[in-house]
Amino acid sequence: MVNYLRLGRPKIDLILDSQKSSEIEGVFSLYGGWTEHRIQRLECDLVKVSNGKKAKFVAPVVTRLMAQIIKPNDYMEVPFYYQVPPDLPPLEQGEVYQLQTRLVIDKDMKCTDTDELTTMHQLS
C-alpha cells in the first residue's frame, strides 16, 4: 500500500550540467504527481559514502523554503549552483561524494534523489 501512495507523489531530479573541481551547476527538475501537493522546502546536502555504509553528512548545499503548489503533471525547474568548499578532504579508496536531494511536501512527506559527484577530490 505504501508503494502505491509513493507512485502519486511529485518527483525531484537534480540534473547536473557541469562538474568542475570547484563548482557544480545544474537544475532541480520537479514533476507533479497525480494530485496537487504543497511544496514546503527543497533541501540538498553533500554527503560522503564509504563502501556501502550509511552516508556521512559533510555540508549543507541548499535549503530553499518554497510554500508553493505543484499541480498534477506540472513541471518546474529551480536553478542549482554550488561552490565546493576548498578545504574538502580528499576521498580514500572506496569513498564517493554524493548530493542527496529532498523535496519536502504535504505532511512532511519526502521525495528524494541522489547524485554521485564524479570530478571531486579523487583518491589521495
Side-chain angles (χ1 to χ4, degrees):
M1 179 68 169
V2 172
N3 285 337
Y4 177 75
L5 294 174
R6 288 184 183 171
L7 290 174
R9 288 185 187 177
K11 292 184 179 25
I12 180 83
D13 186 19
L14 174 56
I15 300 170
L16 300 174
D17 294 332
S18 69
Q19 294 185 49
K20 300 175 188 153
S21 60
S22 63
E23 49 188 52
I24 303 167
E25 296 181 49
V27 65
F28 293 107
S29 295
L30 286 70
Y31 304 90
W34 292 345
T35 61
E36 181 175 286
H37 290 277
R38 181 183 256 335
I39 300 170
Q40 296 175 351
R41 68 186 177 278
L42 174 62
E43 303 171 333
C44 185
D45 295 325
L46 179 64
V47 297
K48 188 187 319 186
V49 178
S50 174
N51 294 327
K53 295 180 183 173
K54 185 176 178 180
K56 181 180 175 187
F57 176 82
V58 176
V61 175
V62 172
T63 299
R64 179 176 281 185
L65 300 176
M66 297 183 74
Q68 189 169 350
I69 299 291
I70 188 164
K71 296 183 185 237
N73 301 316
D74 266 2
Y75 174 78
M76 66 176 78
E77 291 183 346
V78 177
F80 173 79
Y81 175 81
Y82 181 56
Q83 182 72 41
V84 178
D87 59 346
L88 204 58
L91 295 169
E92 299 295 328
Q93 184 75 30
E95 293 182 327
V96 294
Y97 281 115
Q98 295 179 343
L99 291 172
Q100 288 188 343
T101 305
R102 288 172 307 286
L103 183 66
V104 182
I105 56 175
D106 313 296
K107 300 176 185 133
D108 285 331
M109 287 191 290
K110 294 177 178 82
C111 307
T112 60
D113 180 48
T114 302
D115 295 275
E116 187 171 314
L117 300 177
T118 57
T119 60
M120 291 181 55
H121 304 291
Q122 296 304 315
L123 183 64
S124 58

